[in-house]
Structure formats: C-alpha cells, structure tokens
Amino acid sequence: MKIFICVKRFYTSSNLWFDLKAGLLICLLVIMVVLPCGGVAAKAIRDESKPQTGAADTPALKGRYQSFFPVGNVISPRDLGGPRFEMLQKHFAVLTAENAMKPLYIQGNPGVFTFETADKLVDAVLKAGMKMHGHTLTWHQQSPEWINKEGMGRDEAIENLTTHAKTVAAHFRGRVVSWDVLNEAIIDNPPNPEDWRASLRQSPWYKTIGPEYIEIVFKAAREADPDAKLYYNDYNMDNRNKALAVFNMVKEINEQNPNAGGRPLIDGIGIQGHYRTKTNPENVANTLERFISLGVEVSITELDVQSGYNSTLSEAQLLEQGIAYARLFALFKKYAAVLGRVTMWGLDDGTSWLTQTSPALFDRNLQPKPAFWGALDPASFLAENEGRLADFKNEPLQAQAHYGAPALDIADPLWQSAPPIRINQYIMAWQGAQGSARVLWDEQHLYALITVTNAELNKANRSPHEQDSVEIFLDEGNHKSSYMQDDDGQYRVNFDNERSFNPSPIAAGFESRVFVSDKSYTVVVKIPFRTIEPKEDTLIGFDLQINGASAQGIRQSIAVWNDITGSAWQDPSCYGLLKLVK
Ligand code: XIL
C-alpha cells in the first residue's frame, strides 16, 4: 500500500525562515516506509521546498543558546582550517579534543610526553575565540598498557597516575577551562548502587591501586591546575542505578574533601549523552535532578542520538531523530541555569565515531538535518512535527504463550502447541545468529524453548552479553516503566548453559538446559513467576534477544523479537507483549 499525504513543513528552521518561505511550500509524494519493528507502516516525507543551502546559510546554534549555555563539539586534526573549522567556529563556543589529549596519544611511552597535536588544536581553538575543554586524564580505554599493567606495584601505579595527570594538567593550565579528570569508572547498571566502591569498573587503575585512585587523580589535577573545573564523566547516566552510584561516589568524595583549594574536590559531573531516538528524556531529567542536588555543575559532554542502520536514514528515522534532539534540547533549556555546557560528539554523520547510525546534527555533506532544526528551535520543531510521531510510532509486538508445563527437553511435543516467535530483527549492522522461540505457561512458571541458528558458538569474551547467548526479558506486571523495577528481569543463557541475571536475585529457581548441534543450539528454560499470579489472558511485558559472537569473541550481531532500540537491558518500556492463553 502506498500512501500519499500532503506535507507541510518538515525542516523547521526559524520563524523568519518560515515566513520567507511559507509561500513556497508544496505538497509532495510520500512513499511508505516499512519500519524495522514489526512491519509497522510509516509515511516517508520529503520537503523539496527546503532550500539546499550550505551550512553557511543556517542560523548559528551557539547564537541561539547564548543566554542558556555554551554549546560545544569535538575537534580533530582533520578539522583544522577549511569549511569544517568554519562550521565549528560558527556553531560552537567550546571544543573538546576528540582523541588528542587521551593518555595513549600524550604519553604512549613512559616519560615521553607528546603534546604537539593537542597543542595545535588548542592554539587554533583559542585563536578563533572558542574555549577548550580537556578530555581525559584517566580512562580504561585509549591508555598505554605500560602505565598500569597487571602485576605493577601499587606505589609505581600511583606514581604513574599522578605524574601523568599533573604533567598534562600543568601543560594546558590556563588554556583549558575544565578537565574530564576521570572517564567511565562505574559499571553499567550496578546491582547495588548504594555501594559505589562495589560499583567500580575493574579497570587497570582499580586493580593496581584500588578505589582510592579516584581521589588521588582528582587531587593531582587540582594541584596542577587549580582554576580548571574538574569533572567526572560517564555514559548511560540515564540508567538509574548507574546515576545513583555516581551520585554516591561524588557525594562521598566531596564530603571528605570539602576544601580542596577552596572548594570541593569534584566540580562537575559530565553526562556523556550517547543516546538513541528512543532514549526516554524523563530518565535524563531524573539524572539531572539527582546530580544537581549535589551542588556540582552538570554538563552534557558527548551528545549524539543514533538513528537508522548502515549509514542510512529513512525519512521517518530522520524525523524521529529530530524530535529526540528537540525534546532533549527543550529539557536542557529548562535546566540552563545549572548546565555548564552541552557538547555534541561529532560535527557530521560522516566523521562521527558512530557513523553507521548517523547520530549528528549535520549529514555527510555537512548539511543540517532535521536533528539540527530540532536542536536549534525545540519548541517550534515539536509544535510542527510532534503530532506526526503517531504516524511513526511502533506498537509493541504481541505474542502468545500457550498453557502447559513441558519437560525441560527439546523432545517434549508440548512445545509444538505454542506458536513460533521469530527473533530476527537485527539491531547492529552485522546479520549473524538469529532464531525462533515457543513459550508456554502454568500458574507457577513461564517456559521457553529458543532455537538459535547461524551462530559461531564462541564464549571467549568475559562479558556474558558478548558471548553466543539468548536473553529473555520479563516485566511481569507489565508496568512499562522506563527503568528496572522489582517485577522486571533479564535472564541470559549462553550455548554452554552458563547463566547470568539482571538483577542477580532473579536467579532463584531458574532452570535451563542447552542442546548444541554444529552452528545451532536450543535453550530451554523454566522461569518462576516471582510477583504475579498468572491467569488466562494475563498480558506481561516480554522480549527476546540473541547475541551473536564473532570468531574473535566479540559480539557482532544482536537479533531481537521486538525491541529494536537495544535498551531492553535497562528499559522495560521497550518490551513487547506476551499474552497467556489457554
Ligand atoms: C571516541 C572517539 O570519538 C573515537 O574517535 C575513538 O576512536 C574512540 O573514542 N566516550 C568517550 C570518548 O569519552 O572519548 C569516546 O570517543 C566515545 C565514548
């Protein structure tokens, strides 16, 4: 079925622009787009009345936000000079070196500090009247191995940590306004966020020094550059548990160091903001509130919003992305008084670190996308376009579980009484393992049989989700909350019948068996209901995922039944629905 609709304005720039061009708006042919989720039809739209102006004619983002907060972006050597630099200068007030200040590039070899690239960037940025933010003094990624290698003595590790932090912070003193002193120290979705030490990533610094490394590096940075604002920076902060662990960490460290050079040791928390179009702004708001209550500065430090796959965006995906950006910037405006800055991570889709999922404000030809107009003028973009979201909304898929208690055995014919559920929507570019499931229920348990085909059968990775494995998501009460509540759970079984659970207590009473043959395996599970008494026609929140590992032991594909956002692990509102029938 093809649908023709009359399209008003898709790209919302400014009222002025609209006034000038309103007379030129025309109705256009619209082609139906089948969204990846459940084959729900959406209308593709295109507005050819939008002038194909270069970025030169677009309003300046930083000008629009002048009275709210500085808007930033990243810079790399390729941006020096030419149109890219002009765009950075026009739209952004503060820049972060995308890579040049990371430990690997500054001190790849012991004691040999190479500042040339970073210096060039800083000089150009300051000369052009922009400010510079430092990123990052401590991280488990992009750091040289020698600096904290396994088996190194604690004193030597502390020496390496402080020497690096002090030398680098002192070098850029007076030229950077702030530093990400520490990047990504907290694990994802920590089960016990009240205990922030138990929530720390087992990184090389943690292993060689222990949790004290955090205070040590912040103190070193303060000493070397007392004027720079010192930040803790992390991703997935819209996850409640992660935000809570960060909150507890910063709170305790600042309580213990209330007067580190005249002020608390940690000045700010950076919310990286690597989002997807389905990221719930409510969760972002909750985290902002939580951090602000600490009295620290809060910044959005690495904003991008992924949409589409394989470097292509349908018109629907462009619109969804524009709306996601508009909602986020509307939220940031609300919190402007307490936001230090909002920094984008990447000028355009072509050079973004997540280029496959086109997350930037400008496209591969440096043209503004709906995302740009949404960020520029959230209120009018939403007024113009939000109503259309209904056209693009994906209803969750619904499947049936039939009544009966099968044996935990592939051979039990009872499985065949339940209809198959296909797990074949890929949410990474690679199309690897996929499968199909059948689900049964009785008053105490949910039973599932999941057959996976086209798998490489690899479990070399220490992270269970990177191994060949299946995952079952349950929201027993079907509350569709945007964070994990007591009735929610994620159950994972790999092809070797090794299990992992989120949160861990849901393991109680869980049973599973796995039957392997060549490149396929079948998992059968028996999951006790924990919080409901299921009856005929009960609807529960439910989803299925298959993780496909490569021969190198890295997850290369994710196939799902319903949730194409990839956030089921933390957001039950994305689950599909399972109806218990008799
Ligand atoms: C990324 C850069 O954008 C890439 O060019 C590089 O290859 C890897 O690192 N969180 C961070 C950033 O704090 O430093 C990362 O930047 C993206 C995730």
Side-chain angles (χ1 to χ4, degrees), residues 153-175:
R154 188 169 187 270
D155 290 346
E156 192 184 347
I158 291 176
E159 175 68 24
N160 288 349
L161 179 65
T162 50
T163 303
H164 183 83
K166 282 185 189 171
T167 311
V168 179
H171 179 83
F172 292 105
R173 185 175 176 180
R175 295 192 292 157

Side-chain angles (χ1 to χ4, degrees), residues 281-340:
E282 237 176 83
N283 289 342
V284 180
N286 291 340
T287 295
L288 278 169
E289 293 280 354
R290 196 184 291 285
F291 291 164
I292 289 161
S293 74
L294 279 173
V296 295
E297 188 174 276
V298 182
S299 284
I300 309 300
T301 56
E302 305 185 13
L303 183 62
D304 50 18
V305 180
Q306 299 183 63
S307 190
Y309 320 89
N310 297 335
S311 305
T312 48
L313 284 164
S314 68
E315 297 292 335
Q317 288 160 338
L318 275 169
L319 177 62
E320 281 189 324
Q321 187 181 47
I323 286 171
Y325 267 111
R327 286 178 177 166
L328 286 166
F329 272 86
L331 184 72
F332 300 154
K333 276 180 130 167
K334 201 171 133 197
Y335 286 96
V338 283
L339 277 182

Side-chain angles (χ1 to χ4, degrees), residues 98-99 102 135 139 142 183-184 233 272 274 302 345 353:
E98 185 170 5
N99 289 298
K102 292 173 180 172
H135 172 83
W139 195 16
Q142 292 180 289
N183 215 24
E184 305 179 358
N233 190 45
Q272 289 186 3
H274 295 296
E302 305 185 13
W345 203 256
W353 74 304

Side-chain angles (χ1 to χ4, degrees), residues 460-496:
N461 202 298
R462 283 201 312 182
S463 300
H465 66 268
E466 304 251 1
Q467 305 170 354
D468 271 294
S469 52
V470 302
E471 300 188 16
I472 301 148
F473 300 89
L474 293 187
D475 171 6
E476 292 185 356
N478 194 28
H479 300 122
K480 292 215 154 289
S481 59
S482 58
Y483 55 88
M484 301 286 272
Q485 296 180 318
D486 289 347
D487 65 322
D488 303 319
Q490 175 184 12
Y491 306 79
R492 185 187 299 106
V493 183
N494 75 5
F495 67 90
D496 214 9

Side-chain angles (χ1 to χ4, degrees), residues 530-552:
R530 297 175 300 113
T531 60
I532 57 166
E533 286 175 17
K535 296 186 181 59
E536 187 176 1
D537 291 339
T538 297
L539 263 186
I540 64 173
F542 176 76
D543 228 305
L544 294 164
Q545 176 170 321
I546 295 169
N547 301 310
S550 69
Q552 289 73 39

